[in-house]
Amino acid sequence: MHTRWRLTLARVLILLAFTGILEILCAAGTIDPLTMQPPHRILLDLVHLLGSGSFNRAIARTLSNAMIATSMAIIVGVVAGSLIHRIRGLRDALDLLFSTWYAVPVLAFYPLLIVIFGLTNLPSIMIGFMQGVVAVIVTTLDGLDRVPRVLRKLARTQHMTTLETAWLITLPAAAPWLLGGAKLAVVFSIIGVVASEFLMAREGMGFEISYAYNNFDNARMYPLIVLVIVFSVTVNSLLLRWEARLARRRGLKP
Amino acid sequence: MLADAATPLVTLRGITRVFPPIAGGGQPIHALGPLDLDLRTGEFFAVVGPSGCGKSTLFELIAGLQQANDGTIAFEGKPITGKVPDGIGVVFQEDSCLPWRTVRGNIALGLRKSGLSRAEQETRIEHVLVLMNLVEFASHYPAQLSGGMRQRVCIARTLVMEPRLILLDEPFAALDQQTRLLMGEEVLRVWRSTSATVFLITHALDEAAMLSDRIAVMSARPGRILDIVETAWPRERDSRILEDERFGAISARLWRLLRDETIKAADAH
């Protein structure tokens, strides 16, 4: 069997084994029904929940906010990273901030963001953006550091402007690192958006999970958690596939 | 344009290049010169010299990628001032293929600002694909090609711009000896068909002796021209001139000129 298929099969078997153990523990009463429902029940609840359409608005809000936050983090992160890369002094000055950024509890800014933007989508989007943007800046800097010098010389022999050099040479050359940054941005932005909805939002999947949790409503809470996981894993898997395709094209091991 | 051996295409006068000391102290590095040189229109000119003698610095100065501290460089009578002039094509020692573009995409890069219509661009691309024997690989990515093939792509990307001066910086350094000889034949074929002037930097004496009309021998750092050896080869030539007894004499003369300088350079390191 092809190695790739063997790996996929192994992953599915591990997932099934883990789910099976949970199913047995729930059926045996080792896990209290108030703590967690059996996996098959969660799956049925998820189908019912999606079929009823009662959470469509919350799902749409969270996913669209996460997508906006991710897109902003990627665009701003790549542009800022490219600019900072050109200014050595600025980079040296910001290095400490970047390396300690994830020690800062960004969620602590949520009340301030509500004061500034009100109870709209913007505070959630900003939290998601702030979580993701630094990862993109750092990976952009890393990627640009690794662009071979000969390609920059090539740009000069081709009479390229600064923008053309970035668009046609340096950013494509740094693409594998940028894609790594994009993957991190997706994860961090989703975490940021859902976590901020937990705190003070009035709608969204985070709010619904929190509401269900406070009301011991497992039939709603677990399916929504699974949905967030499925969304995050799906987007990351797609990016991974794209990354592997790029790596193969460049003769690198995916 | 027909070759006119009397007209210098490039002139270098009193060229000196001194690199500032690296951060943290040290002495400035006098890499090159003072150096005078003329490249004649249509000739195949090579430069050989010991490691670290400033060959690549000289290459980058003529390409407009560096600026001299002293002296002037002119291409077709116009001074080169830190910008690659139109009409100069550059092929680097390192692989400079863009791995995310196909062979065709790599070659097309050079025509972005050509002002040619799409149809004219396609005609030119097809022409160099044929010239460099790359037709069947046009849709391949560089990772699917050997080192020699990738270097051919880089040469094709330069040729598509129809340069009047082609600068080659040890383009075959990473290739095995047999492939280098064959690539040398290809470069000679291209040189004859384009009538461009070729300026080749190489550390391989046999390569210089086989390919060139004239060979400049450089001293150890700071690089100066010790002598210029004329080969007097016919324009129609290929790697079979290795059998010619004059080939041995030319190689021997190059080595005689270089031996002491190479020892000097090795001692300096």
Side-chain angles (χ1 to χ4, degrees), chain B residues 44 188 191-192 210-213 233-238:
Chain B
F44 199 122
L188 281 173
W191 169 62
R192 282 192 297 270
M210 168 188 145
L211 297 176
S212 318
D213 295 318
W233 296 126
R235 196 169 168 85
E236 287 291 333
R237 58 182 182 261
D238 58 34

Side-chain angles (χ1 to χ4, degrees), chain B residues 85-206:
Chain B
D86 284 329
I88 293 185
V90 184
V91 180
F92 297 101
Q93 177 180 358
E94 306 95 325
D95 179 7
S96 64
C97 280
L98 304 180
W100 56 92
R101 282 177 172 248
T102 60
V103 167
R104 183 182 290 277
N106 265 283
I107 295 171
L109 186 77
L111 294 174
R112 290 168 9 268
K113 293 182 174 173
S114 62
L116 298 172
S117 69
R118 188 165 284 275
E120 288 169 320
Q121 289 188 21
E122 284 304 316
T123 307
R124 276 219 203 166
I125 292 167
E126 290 303 324
H127 174 68
V128 292
L129 282 170
V130 172
L131 192 67
M132 297 307 295
N133 293 322
L134 288 167
V135 175
E136 60 186 295
F137 303 101
S139 304
H140 285 50
Y141 284 94
Q144 297 170 291
L145 307 176
S146 66
M149 295 278 280
R150 286 203 293 273
Q151 210 45 300
R152 268 199 239 170
V153 176
C154 295
I155 295 172
R157 185 175 58 205
T158 299
L159 291 179
V160 81
M161 296 191 289
E162 298 186 350
R164 299 181 291 286
L165 173 63
I166 301 170
L167 304 177
L168 305 169
D169 185 9
E170 302 196 32
F172 316 132
L175 307 180
D176 62 75
Q177 178 71 9
Q178 293 93 318
T179 312
R180 274 174 45 201
L181 288 173
L182 294 176
M183 286 294 292
E185 287 192 359
E186 294 215 24
V187 169
L188 281 173
R189 189 167 52 78
V190 166
W191 169 62
R192 282 192 297 270
S193 66
T194 61
S195 75
T197 303
V198 175
F199 178 84
L200 170 75
I201 298 286
T202 180
H203 62 268
L205 303 188
D206 56 346

Side-chain angles (χ1 to χ4, degrees), chain A:
Chain A
M1 200 191 294
H2 195 284
T3 318
R4 221 174 85 192
W5 288 112
R6 269 211 303 260
L7 267 175
T8 308
L9 184 65
R11 283 172 191 146
V12 171
L13 286 175
I14 290 168
L15 191 66
L16 284 177
F18 180 69
T19 314
I21 291 168
L22 280 178
E23 192 74 45
I24 292 165
L25 291 174
C26 288
T30 312
I31 297 178
D32 191 289
L34 273 178
T35 305
M36 185 187 172
Q37 309 221 62
H40 82 273
R41 189 68 247 169
I42 294 173
L43 197 66
L44 288 173
D45 286 341
L46 177 62
V47 172
H48 173 72
L49 192 139
L50 289 175
S52 72
S54 55
F55 283 96
N56 283 359
R57 194 181 154 86
I59 294 167
R61 176 192 147 119
T62 302
L63 298 190
S64 60
N65 283 355
M67 274 171 60
I68 293 168
T70 304
S71 308
M72 278 170 57
I74 292 172
I75 293 167
V76 173
V78 169
V79 172
S82 303
L83 292 174
I84 294 166
H85 191 263
R86 294 180 64 85
I87 308 166
R88 186 74 233 182
L90 181 61
R91 183 176 180 178
D92 290 342
L94 291 175
D95 252 354
L96 184 66
L97 174 69
F98 293 151
S99 54
T100 54
W101 180 255
Y102 288 100
V104 176
V106 174
L107 275 172
F109 293 105
Y110 197 59
L112 176 69
L113 292 170
I114 288 182
V115 171
I116 297 169
F117 298 113
L119 272 172
T120 60
N121 286 341
L122 278 174
S124 281
I125 292 172
M126 286 308 294
I127 290 287
F129 163 75
M130 287 162 75
Q131 287 274 26
V133 69
V134 172
V136 180
I137 291 174
V138 170
T139 50
T140 302
L141 290 170
D142 195 21
L144 292 176
D145 282 344
R146 289 161 198 262
V147 175
R149 277 186 60 195
V150 70
L151 294 189
R152 294 184 190 278
K153 284 188 205 167
L154 171 71
R156 290 179 63 192
T157 66
Q158 299 284 335
H159 307 113
M160 289 184 188
T161 61
T162 306
L163 267 181
E164 284 173 324
T165 303
W167 187 246
L168 293 168
I169 304 284
T170 50
L171 290 180
W177 289 270
L178 301 187
L179 217 47
K183 279 192 300 184
L184 290 173
V186 170
V187 174
F188 288 144
S189 297
I190 290 175
I191 292 171
V193 167
V194 173
S196 66
E197 287 171 351
F198 260 81
L199 290 177
M200 287 191 216
R202 289 180 300 185
E203 55 181 338
M205 289 167 81
F207 167 76
E208 296 294 349
I209 291 169
S210 169
Y211 187 81
Y213 165 76
N214 288 324
N215 291 286
F216 304 100
D217 189 354
N218 285 355
R220 288 183 169 198
M221 187 180 78
Y222 279 108
L224 285 171
I225 291 173
V226 169
L227 201 60
V228 171
I229 294 170
V230 167
F231 176 71
S232 182
V233 169
T234 305
V235 174
N236 255 283
S237 302
L238 290 173
L239 286 171
L240 267 174
R241 282 176 74 102
W242 189 20
E243 194 178 26
R245 202 172 137 204
L246 275 185
R248 272 197 301 277
R249 188 179 285 175
R250 293 175 186 217
L252 305 168
K253 200 174 172 192

